[in-house]
Amino acid sequence: MFATDRYPADFIFDNISMLTNVIDSGYRSGVTKLINIACSCCYPRDADQPIREEYLGTGPMEPTMTSFGMAKLAGIEMCRAYNRQYKMNAISIIGTNVFGPNDNFDLETAHALPAMIRRFHEAKMSDSPTVTVLGTGRPRREFMAVDDLADACLFLMENYDGPEPINVARGEDLSILELAQLVKKVVGYSGEITLKPEAGDGVLRKVQDVTRLNSLGWKPCVDLELAIQDTYDWFKLNQ
């Protein structure tokens, strides 16, 4: 969120450039099927929960993510347009918060979970007595292992055709405090978790509806705690 808020021009330019080049080049080179991966930031900030695919474009996005979200929304519409005009088999998925080995652990630009892994690890190494979690810890989010995302992409390439996007997520959420407690357990940190309510919470819940995906026959199979452990093991070997 920090990076998208600070560098909105970079995010919208780079992402739209990638999307237009990849989708158009796919069409012109005769690619038989293309999958476009968008993310939940293209949904309205105050969408009803769980978030259904038809909520796209029904309200304003989170202000700190608008440039990035608009680029992802443009990619979805471009796939629809190429499907309609050129009969190109281009499908779009809308992913949730994905994590795993080879993630970005930079504290200024990382997503919530890898940043949390690094902070708990550094607190463990320095014998810090506390790790501070911003906000009240009450907001609820969902997280998916990258192996589940990859498996879902392969499944949809074989089992889904159509211009309308489809959510790819676990459909299960947990609070930020519950996530912090899980990361603390995996890292083996023995200190305390402190909260900083004055930092604010943002949207209190964000979870995607996966009815459409589940109806096709796919569900996630990677245990969340084991996925966090794999990610932490990779981080320790590659920091």
Side-chain angles (χ1 to χ4, degrees):
M1 186 179 296
F2 172 83
T4 55
D5 190 35
R6 186 169 183 179
Y7 308 110
D10 292 344
F11 271 89
I12 195 166
F13 178 82
D14 290 346
N15 280 275
I16 286 182
S17 296
M18 287 187 287
L19 287 163
T20 54
N21 277 291
V22 169
I23 295 170
D24 188 67
S25 295
Y27 160 67
R28 296 185 185 282
S29 60
V31 168
T32 56
K33 191 169 187 179
L34 180 145
I35 186 167
N36 166 47
I37 302 177
C39 58
S40 62
C41 65
C42 60
Y43 279 119
R45 181 184 188 275
D46 298 319
D48 290 340
Q49 304 292 323
I51 307 173
R52 299 176 62 86
E53 291 90 346
E54 55 263 35
Y55 297 165
L56 281 174
T58 59
M61 300 175 189
E62 161 62 41
T64 60
M65 301 286 288
T66 298
S67 291
F68 185 48
M70 287 297 293
K72 295 300 185 182
L73 194 59
I76 292 171
E77 184 56 34
M78 191 170 184
C79 286
R80 284 172 171 154
Y82 273 60
N83 185 295
R84 185 169 66 250
Q85 183 172 340
Y86 300 130
K87 308 305 178 186
M88 180 184 182
N89 193 357
I91 66 172
S92 291
I93 69 168
I94 303 176
T96 186
N97 297 301
V98 177
F99 69 96
N102 288 288
D103 215 324
N104 171 24
F105 294 88
D106 182 280
L107 292 180
E108 285 197 355
T109 58
H111 290 163
L113 204 158
M116 197 176 283
I117 288 174
R118 178 170 179 174
R119 289 174 59 212
F120 274 97
H121 174 78
E122 291 181 347
K124 177 183 176 181
M125 293 298 100
S126 64
D127 291 321
S128 176
T130 62
V131 170
T132 300
V133 173
L134 300 180
T136 65
R138 290 173 49 235
R140 303 185 67 84
R141 299 291 185 270
E142 60 179 329
F143 299 88
M144 171 178 274
V146 67
D147 286 350
D148 268 338
L149 175 66
D151 185 66
C153 287
L154 290 172
F155 176 86
L156 291 170
M157 286 293 279
E158 296 176 349
N159 296 280
Y160 181 72
D161 296 305
E164 294 309 311
I166 185 168
N167 283 334
V168 173
R170 292 182 64 86
E172 301 173 357
D173 57 353
L174 73 168
S175 73
I176 295 300
L177 179 57
E178 289 170 333
L179 177 66
Q181 292 167 336
L182 187 55
V183 173
K184 174 185 175 180
K185 175 185 175 183
V186 168
V187 171
Y189 172 66
S190 58
E192 298 296 323
I193 297 172
T194 61
L195 300 173
K196 191 176 182 180
E198 62 270 24
D201 281 334
V203 177
L204 286 180
R205 191 182 186 212
K206 189 175 182 183
V207 60
Q208 289 169 246
D209 184 280
V210 288
T211 302
R212 186 177 297 176
L213 178 62
N214 291 166
S215 70
L216 294 173
W218 188 91
K219 290 187 178 181
C221 61
V222 180
D223 178 79
L224 186 61
E225 183 174 340
L226 290 178
I228 294 174
Q229 183 69 63
D230 287 344
T231 305
Y232 180 49
D233 290 343
W234 185 93
F235 170 76
K236 287 187 292 182
L237 290 173
N238 294 275
Q239 60 174 316

